[in-house]
Amino acid sequence: GADDRVRVRAANIDEKRADSGLISTTRTDSRSFKLSIKNLHERQISFVIQDQVPVSNNQEIKVELTAKPQPTKRDIEDKRGVLAWEDKLNPDEEKVIEHGYKVSWPAAKSVVYGR
């Protein structure tokens, strides 16, 4: 739940779309995010941050996850693409999570992001 003594910030770092290849062109869509969490309490706290990345239902569409640090859990509650980072923060400590994904597919096809 909400806690005035815990500060969480999320930012889009980068967003790119590109085509590559000479004969069989591949299209890519890459996105990067930065999440930061800071403990303003005078005691240690535990936290869980959840986020999500796209998942493919077609083997021609590839999704690569990039994350630093890697998530501690994936596919939360059997929901594909839902990630979680669990950790502890000491008083006045801040942690940063950088993550993103790259989706690639044949240029002759189109990709639709859905829910």
Side-chain angles (χ1 to χ4, degrees), residues 21-40:
L22 295 173
I23 297 171
S24 64
T25 304
T26 300
R27 291 200 170 145
T28 60
D29 182 3
S30 302
R31 300 191 187 186
S32 300
F33 308 94
K34 181 178 178 180
L35 306 169
S36 63
I37 181 168
K38 184 168 185 171
N39 178 12
L40 302 175

Side-chain angles (χ1 to χ4, degrees), residues 1-114:
D3 184 335
D4 293 344
R5 310 252 342 137
V6 177
R7 185 176 18 196
V8 178
R9 292 189 177 143
N12 289 348
I13 297 174
D14 197 16
E15 207 172 299
K16 293 180 187 171
R17 291 195 169 99
D19 292 341
S20 62
L22 295 173
I23 297 171
S24 64
T25 304
T26 300
R27 291 200 170 145
T28 60
D29 182 3
S30 302
R31 300 191 187 186
S32 300
F33 308 94
K34 181 178 178 180
L35 306 169
S36 63
I37 181 168
K38 184 168 185 171
N39 178 12
L40 302 175
H41 286 281
E42 294 180 7
R43 61 179 166 72
Q44 185 182 66
I45 62 164
S46 298
F47 70 88
V48 177
I49 291 183
Q50 287 188 359
D51 209 340
Q52 62 186 25
V53 294
V55 294
S56 173
N57 290 323
N58 181 320
Q59 65 187 57
E60 290 184 289
I61 302 169
K62 308 290 184 218
V63 179
E64 298 174 47
L65 169 69
T66 56
K68 183 180 167 187
Q70 289 293 310
T72 53
K73 292 186 178 178
R74 295 176 185 235
D75 299 336
I76 309 298
E77 297 177 8
D78 294 324
K79 294 176 184 168
R80 293 175 57 215
V82 178
L83 312 169
W85 289 264
E86 296 178 341
D87 207 347
K88 295 182 187 311
L89 282 173
N90 291 319
D92 204 39
E93 183 181 13
E94 182 173 21
K95 291 199 177 177
V96 174
I97 297 168
E98 293 181 9
H99 81 91
Y101 59 86
K102 178 173 134 181
V103 179
S104 56
W105 67 94
K109 309 271 179 161
S110 61
V111 170
V112 176
Y113 291 94

